[in-house]
Amino acid sequence: MKIFKDRAEMSVEKVSWHAIPLKEIFEKLGTNENGLDEEKVRHRLDQYGLNEIREEKKESPLKMFLNQFTSILVIILIISAIVSAYISHLKGEPYTDTYVIIAIVIMNAILGFVQEYRAEKALEALKRMVAPQVIVFRRGVEQKIDSKNLVPGDIILLDAGTRVPADARLIEAASLRVDEAALTGESTPVSKQLGELPENTVVTDRKNMLFMGTIITEGRAKAVVTETGMRTEFGNIAGLVQEIEEEAPPMKQKMEKMGRQLGTISVILTIFVFLLGLLVHQTDFEDLFLTSVSLAVSAIPEGLPAVLTITLALGVSRMAKQKSIIRKLASVETLGSTTVICSDKTGTLTKNEMTVSKIYANRKEITVTGSGYMPEGVFLNQGMELNPIEDGQLKLLLSIGALCNDAHLHEENNNWSIFGDPTEGALLVVAAKAGLWSEDLLKEYPRIHEIPFDSSRKMMSSIHKTPEGDNVAYVKGAPEMVLTKCTKIYEDERVRPLNLEDEKLILSKTVEMAENALRVLALAYKKVSSNLTDYKVEEIESDLIFVGLVGMIDPPREEVSAAIKLCRQAGIRSVMVTGDHKTTAIAIAKQIGILHDETSASVLTGEDLAKMSDEYLDKVIDGVLVFARVSPEHKMRIAQSLKRRGHIVAMTGDGVNDAPALKVADIGVAMGIKGTDVTKEASDMILEDDNFATIVKAVEGGRHIYDNITKYVRLMLSANFDEFMEVTVAALMGIPIPYLPIHILWINLVTDGLPAVALSIDPKDPEIMKFPPRDPKEGLLNRFWRFIIFSSTVDFVSNFIPFVWVYLTTKDIALARSVSFTAIVFFEFILAYQCRSETHHIFALGWRGFSENKMLFLSVIVSIAMQFAIIYFEPLQEIFHVTALNPYLLLLTILGASTAFLIMPGKLIKRRKYASETLKIA
């Protein structure tokens, strides 16, 4: 954890506040229930500092912009611009080449800067989550202060709807429930209670503590502040997020490596040619220097950085339409390399909409259709539809669930949502499916008292006035708890004593439902005296009449099974990482196709992980498909272990505690709906719909983008190698070079650049998800060297021979250069089409090969028009130092360019094997 150089944080040792008696806490903090006096507050503010999440010095926008110029390819371009300017100065010519290179470099920097401007705001998000004001007791007087002025020992008062401003230990709690999803990722509000807990109790189970940034959903509390600022749980996470260093994405690493290689080759051969010309051919120094610069420029694909940035930016825009917001450009390509997707269960693999699917009442098992919060569905018993209103037992059970309930069902534009606890929401929806709306029921059976749920009783009771004037207690809760309070059972629309056989049958049905991943509640009731004024729990929740069980599930998203199947086909392992129980996790994993054959090795719990060393975890992790009951800290270990095993890991998360795991993963995926701002800012990608299938679409998009990158890299490097060979051979032969620097820039930036941009949006290969993930260590061009060398050789022959022939027969260097300049441009238009497929010749694709990519077709037409303008428009002839071609020479360039049709991609590029041929994915 990062150490912050602050007296406050250096002077106080971390204490297990949840495990200490309150009296001892007051002594340690030098406070009491009346709070601190002003002198102590001033001293502690000086000692501990403000209650704020502090941040390291942020990278300024200017520095972020300047970082865009640190790529090796961009540095080489800048050097080329400087040398080009010097040559232009020596010759007294306009600085055209220099201006063009600088324009390309600046455009590339602006595109990268705009996309990454929002990159590092995690700590600002943390600050926004801290409550701005809070009510405190100081010297026995209530006062409202800014939360940043809180200090350890302050006594705070909180009620429903307020955000907890600091970590605190409870002194008093009344029906207190807290939403800790922002911190722990748990979607269900947590009930809080007083008393000490064991010292080794994990954060998620510290029921006697309140944590900064969480929200009080029900009840009220009085608490003593124990930690503030960077010493809170939030502060710990802030330090950890800052501490983690991000690795450069694979594509950036490959481009940097390729840039260094090209730069090295360029420098070595430039020096070689310069010395050869100086010592052997006795060439004029100025001409020799110009030749050497041309050689250096020809080795570098000037347009590559800009085209790469444009490709990634277009990919980002395309993915945004598919509900994937990519925050960092380089992450787009990394997605295509993903080998493992570690996904949360709730809301990502499932709908996060609890739905009642099974009911057990009157010894009948009833299936309820429909999923989510839409109140539509039917009730089936052995395949036969029931009318729940006509079934007295079923109607009573549904009414209890709707009345003993604090949630609200809301509809807007035919979209249904729940305000309140998801479990209670499921009970409202199933009642509404029967036509029993809670609003109508509450008018008929008004509530007169409530005994809230708490974790020790595991049940809730509400007392209602019936139309007959009776008082009735309706109860719901955990079956094993409710059943112990029942002495009777409602069956066949009459009440009879509950016997041992009934209890065994009810518990067996509970276990059966639970094994099928259902969350089970028991429903009961009893009449209570109308004369009661003091409703004691032990009196209300005893001698109950058992009515039935309801089993509910967070149903899998319909599209998830197909997405997981597609992942398996693509050689990608889908792993469920959930805080839910092992039984539930296994059942859902089987339903959606993650798990087929359950073995002890394929499922691990958080408890199992805690016992494992990193070395042992690394040995077994490749066989694990489900991690259950895991904490956010475990998620970080899982990501690190998978990365050590050589995987490219995508990890989802929503709670603040997930932020470190997301930052460690190669692709951190935050939830757009339920994700916290902190998690989003620590992520590489945000899912607008929190849907696993959207991750798979993004992976497919990443593969598509990578494929297109290799297409235009093949095009650009083939052209560059040809230029390089022509300039080198001409220098060795002692004849003028075929291209001037401005010709090379025009070829590299325009006639290569426009088709390259068009190739960046080439339609995807229909079989793209049948291939396994790329090896991230594999070089960008490993499979394409034969294609590049053969293509550049054919290009060299088709351009250089006409150049030499025209030069030797006419001694007109301008005319000879015009021929080679035009021939190479035309050749590369055809080559662009040959780069569209790794396996098929352009003719094998038929007319579709030429027409499918309309942008490529248009870019070729525009580039041809511009080339004709350069050759035949006098002002441009002067700038480019060319002359007009007669029809015979123009035909010669077209015939030379036609040799591009001799290239056979399928024979030159090593075929990729399908994932089914190379990998076995569980």
Side-chain angles (χ1 to χ4, degrees):
M1 184 65 64
K2 182 174 288 298
I3 302 299
F4 290 84
K5 303 300 183 184
D6 182 279
R7 283 176 294 166
E9 295 166 46
M10 294 167 67
S11 61
V12 182
E13 185 181 343
K14 198 73 174 174
V15 179
S16 301
W17 298 107
H18 59 280
I20 304 173
L22 269 174
K23 184 178 179 182
E24 189 177 330
I25 289 176
F26 285 145
E27 289 174 1
K28 274 183 174 288
L29 293 172
T31 189
N32 56 47
E33 290 201 38
N34 289 323
L36 303 169
D37 58 38
E38 293 304 321
E39 186 180 344
K40 280 186 176 179
V41 170
R42 280 195 301 272
H43 174 71
R44 292 186 185 192
L45 276 173
D46 183 52
Q47 181 187 1
Y48 296 103
L50 293 174
N51 177 36
E52 292 180 327
I53 300 299
R54 272 165 259 163
E55 59 185 272
E56 293 178 313
K57 187 177 180 181
K58 290 196 302 181
E59 188 177 82
S60 68
L62 176 61
K63 187 177 179 183
M64 195 180 296
F65 179 70
L66 293 176
N67 283 343
Q68 306 300 319
F69 297 93
T70 57
S71 163
I72 187 70
L73 282 174
V74 173
I75 291 170
I76 291 172
L77 285 183
I78 293 170
I79 294 170
S80 298
I82 294 169
V83 173
S84 180
Y86 179 66
I87 292 294
S88 299
H89 173 71
L90 287 179
K91 302 185 74 173
E93 294 179 348
Y95 295 94
T96 309
D97 299 359
T98 304
Y99 294 148
V100 171
I101 297 174
I102 290 172
I104 290 296
V105 169
I106 292 174
M107 182 183 73
N108 179 67
I110 290 171
L111 283 169
F113 171 76
V114 168
Q115 290 294 333
E116 295 180 8
Y117 181 63
R118 293 179 63 255
E120 292 297 329
K121 294 181 181 175
L123 294 172
E124 289 178 21
L126 276 165
K127 280 186 169 183
R128 289 196 297 272
M129 297 185 74
V130 177
Q133 289 197 314
V134 62
I135 296 172
V136 299
F137 261 121
R138 285 184 177 169
R139 299 186 69 177
V141 178
E142 257 186 49
Q143 50 185 287
K144 185 178 282 190
I145 65 167
D146 289 342
S147 66
K148 68 181 182 181
N149 293 321
L150 277 178
V151 295
D154 263 326
I155 306 299
I156 55 175
L157 300 176
L158 304 165
D159 55 18
T162 58
R163 195 182 292 275
V164 179
D167 287 4
R169 171 71 180 270
L170 285 169
I171 301 170
E172 296 175 8
S175 305
L176 185 64
R177 302 190 82 191
V178 182
D179 179 359
E180 295 185 344
L183 183 66
T184 66
E186 290 290 336
S187 57
T188 307
V190 178
S191 295
K192 294 291 183 176
Q193 61 192 37
L194 306 181
E196 299 88 56
L197 294 169
E199 188 165 344
N200 61 355
T201 305
V202 296
V203 171
T204 50
D205 292 333
R206 291 178 191 171
K207 308 296 185 186
N208 58 0
M209 295 290 296
L210 299 175
F211 300 105
M212 175 191 273
T214 59
I215 299 172
I216 308 293
T217 58
E218 292 178 34
R220 55 184 176 78
K222 184 177 182 181
V224 56
V225 174
T226 54
E227 304 286 5
T228 58
M230 295 303 295
R231 290 180 60 82
T232 62
E233 291 298 326
F234 258 48
N236 290 339
I237 296 163
L240 188 55
V241 171
Q242 284 184 341
E243 189 179 55
I244 296 167
E245 292 185 10
E246 295 182 86
E247 296 176 7
M251 173 57 78
K252 187 172 182 180
Q253 294 176 22
K254 290 171 185 175
M255 284 296 178
E256 292 292 301
K257 182 179 179 181
M258 188 177 76
R260 286 192 296 272
Q261 290 171 340
L262 291 175
T264 303
I265 292 169
S266 171
V267 169
I268 291 171
L269 286 180
T270 298
I271 294 171
F272 172 73
V273 169
F274 183 82
L275 293 175
L276 185 72
L278 199 63
L279 301 174
V280 178
H281 298 298
Q282 305 295 314
T283 312
D284 177 72
F285 181 85
E286 190 175 296
D287 288 342
L288 188 57
F289 192 58
L290 179 64
T291 300
S292 300
V293 170
S294 297
L295 186 62
V297 171
S298 71
I300 305 301
E302 286 85 1
L304 187 56
V307 176
L308 178 63
T309 305
I310 291 167
T311 304
L312 296 176
L314 290 172
V316 166
S317 175
R318 197 161 54 235
M319 288 182 181
K321 294 174 184 175
Q322 298 178 331
K323 301 189 181 299
S324 303
I325 300 171
I326 307 297
R327 298 186 60 251
K328 298 170 187 175
L329 279 183
S331 303
V332 179
E333 182 276 330
T334 310
L335 272 166
S337 306
T338 303
T339 58
V340 179
I341 302 175
C342 294
S343 174
D344 288 326
K345 176 181 71 68
T346 305
T348 307
L349 296 170
T350 64
K351 288 186 171 183
N352 197 24
E353 296 180 354
M354 291 299 291
T355 305
V356 173
S357 60
K358 293 287 182 185
I359 294 173
Y360 175 75
N362 203 21
R363 293 184 180 252
K364 290 188 293 190
E365 293 183 24
I366 298 164
T367 300
V368 186
T369 65
S371 66
Y373 294 146
M374 179 79 74
E376 293 179 1
V378 297
F379 296 78
L380 304 170
N381 176 226
Q382 296 181 344
M384 300 293 292
E385 188 172 337
L386 295 176
N387 184 339
I389 302 299
E390 294 175 359
D391 186 317
Q393 182 106 6
L394 189 51
K395 182 180 178 181
L396 175 60
L397 179 141
L398 296 172
S399 297
I400 293 172
L403 289 166
C404 184
N405 202 309
D406 290 326
H408 300 281
L409 182 61
H410 178 70
E411 185 266 337
E412 185 175 344
N413 299 325
N414 206 35
N415 290 318
W416 294 83
S417 58
I418 288 292
F419 295 135
D421 187 275
T423 301
E424 293 192 323
L427 295 173
L428 290 185
V429 172
V430 73
K433 288 177 180 179
L436 298 169
W437 297 88
S438 61
E439 296 84 354
D440 298 333
L441 288 170
L442 283 168
K443 288 175 185 175
E444 194 174 355
Y445 298 84
R447 184 185 292 187
I448 57 177
H449 190 70
E450 174 190 341
I451 303 174
F453 174 91
D454 73 45
S455 55
S456 58
R457 293 167 29 251
K458 293 187 178 179
M459 63 180 75
M460 169 188 174
S461 300
S462 60
I463 299 166
H464 299 257
K465 181 74 71 175
T466 69
E468 294 78 25
D470 297 325
N471 285 1
V472 179
Y474 295 128
V475 181
K476 72 172 189 293
E480 67 276 12
M481 300 300 285
V482 172
L483 204 55
T484 61
K485 308 294 183 182
C486 293
T487 57
K488 303 180 183 67
I489 185 169
Y490 187 75
E491 197 173 89
D492 296 326
E493 300 192 25
R494 65 184 180 86
V495 177
R496 66 169 178 80
L498 182 73
N499 58 44
L500 189 59
E501 184 187 340
D502 295 325
E503 289 185 21
K504 286 181 179 178
L505 183 58
I506 292 165
L507 289 173
S508 71
K509 292 297 178 186
T510 301
V511 171
E512 186 181 313
M513 286 186 182
E515 286 175 348
N516 286 296
L518 299 181
R519 184 179 296 176
V520 189
L521 290 179
L523 301 166
Y525 78 101
K526 72 178 281 189
K527 285 187 179 181
V528 297
S529 172
S530 300
N531 299 323
L532 278 180
T533 55
D534 182 17
Y535 296 97
K536 294 181 179 178
V537 173
E538 55 271 19
E539 291 182 12
I540 300 300
E541 294 176 352
S542 62
D543 199 28
L544 298 174
I545 302 166
F546 181 85
V547 178
L549 302 171
V550 292
M552 59 189 73
I553 192 169
D554 180 8
R557 291 177 179 269
E558 289 85 354
E559 61 274 24
V560 163
S561 292
I564 288 169
K565 185 177 179 182
L566 186 62
C567 280
R568 186 174 292 109
Q569 176 185 283
I572 300 168
R573 186 149 57 98
S574 303
V575 177
M576 180 191 290
V577 183
T578 179
D580 217 331
H581 292 280
K582 182 177 178 179
T583 305
T584 305
I586 289 171
I588 294 291
K590 286 180 176 177
Q591 282 186 42
I592 60 180
I594 284 181
L595 205 58
H596 295 290
D597 302 314
E598 179 196 341
T599 65
S600 58
S602 60
V603 182
L604 289 181
T605 64
E607 190 178 350
D608 297 329
L609 281 172
K611 295 174 184 175
M612 289 182 183
S613 65
D614 286 344
E615 291 75 17
Y616 186 75
L617 178 59
D618 291 350
K619 287 180 182 177
V620 301
I621 198 163
D622 280 337
V624 183
L625 296 171
V626 175
F627 292 92
R629 298 304 284 168
V630 298
S631 68
E633 290 78 12
H634 292 142
K635 291 177 76 169
M636 190 167 169
R637 277 194 74 198
I638 292 165
Q640 289 170 330
S641 178
L642 286 166
K643 288 181 72 173
R644 287 194 296 269
R645 294 288 297 162
H647 291 287
I648 299 293
V649 184
M651 174 73 77
T652 71
D654 49 22
V656 173
N657 252 10
D658 287 331
L662 264 60
K663 205 155 186 180
V664 163
D666 297 285
I667 296 288
V669 184
M671 303 297 108
I673 298 173
K674 63 176 181 171
T676 60
D677 284 350
V678 181
T679 315
K680 291 174 186 175
E681 294 298 338
S683 70
D684 302 289
M685 175 176 125
I686 301 169
L687 303 182
E688 282 188 41
D689 57 359
D690 293 9
N691 193 336
F692 178 85
T694 304
I695 306 175
V696 180
K697 286 180 187 173
V699 169
E700 187 174 8
R703 289 187 173 196
H704 179 201
I705 287 167
Y706 185 87
D707 270 8
N708 286 351
I709 288 172
T710 63
K711 291 175 186 179
Y712 64 68
V713 168
R714 293 203 302 272
L715 170 65
M716 286 186 152
L717 291 189
S718 296
N720 277 87
F721 277 23
D722 163 47
E723 295 158 13
F724 194 86
M725 282 193 286
E726 292 192 51
V727 173
T728 303
V729 173
L732 293 174
M733 290 174 62
I735 63 174
I737 57 175
Y739 308 112
L740 299 174
I742 194 169
H743 297 155
I744 295 169
L745 285 173
W746 178 260
I747 295 165
N748 290 357
L749 298 176
V750 182
T751 55
D752 281 355
L754 288 178
V757 171
L759 284 174
S760 74
I761 57 170
D762 209 37
K764 71 184 176 196
D765 182 346
E767 296 188 329
I768 200 167
M769 290 297 276
K770 289 185 179 179
F771 300 111
R774 295 184 316 280
D775 181 352
K777 296 177 183 176
E778 180 185 81
L780 184 65
L781 303 170
N782 278 19
R783 294 188 304 113
F784 305 118
W785 278 117
R786 284 194 304 173
F787 178 93
I788 291 169
I789 292 169
F790 184 81
S791 299
S792 57
T793 303
V794 173
D795 199 359
F796 166 77
V797 171
S798 67
N799 304 330
F800 193 68
I801 291 175
F803 165 76
V804 172
W805 178 73
V806 172
Y807 175 68
L808 293 177
T809 55
T810 67
K811 298 300 180 182
D812 185 342
I813 187 59
L815 183 63
R817 282 174 175 160
S818 301
V819 169
S820 62
F821 180 36
T822 305
I824 191 172
V825 167
F826 288 170
F827 182 96
E828 284 166 25
F829 292 153
I830 300 172
L831 181 61
Y833 279 101
Q834 292 283 52
C835 289
R836 285 199 61 215
S837 173
E838 294 181 14
T839 54
H840 295 99
H841 190 279
I842 189 64
F843 289 154
L845 298 174
W847 176 243
R848 181 174 64 86
F850 291 96
S851 63
E852 190 174 31
N853 189 334
K854 294 180 176 59
M855 181 64 76
L856 179 58
F857 184 79
L858 182 64
S859 71
V860 168
I861 296 298
V862 169
S863 298
I864 289 173
M866 290 193 294
Q867 186 65 23
F868 274 106
I870 289 169
I871 296 298
Y872 294 107
F873 187 50
E874 193 170 330
L876 292 177
Q877 288 176 348
E878 292 178 9
I879 293 173
F880 282 86
H881 307 288
V882 294
T883 188
L885 300 179
N886 63 41
Y888 299 108
L889 291 178
L890 184 61
L891 179 62
L892 178 64
T893 64
I894 293 171
L895 289 173
S898 299
T899 57
F901 290 120
L902 298 175
I903 298 167
M904 300 289 177
K907 295 186 180 298
L908 296 170
I909 298 173
K910 186 179 178 182
R911 174 186 170 269
R912 286 185 290 176
K913 292 185 177 181
Y914 291 142
S916 58
E917 298 176 82
T918 58
L919 296 175
K920 183 181 179 182
I921 300 296

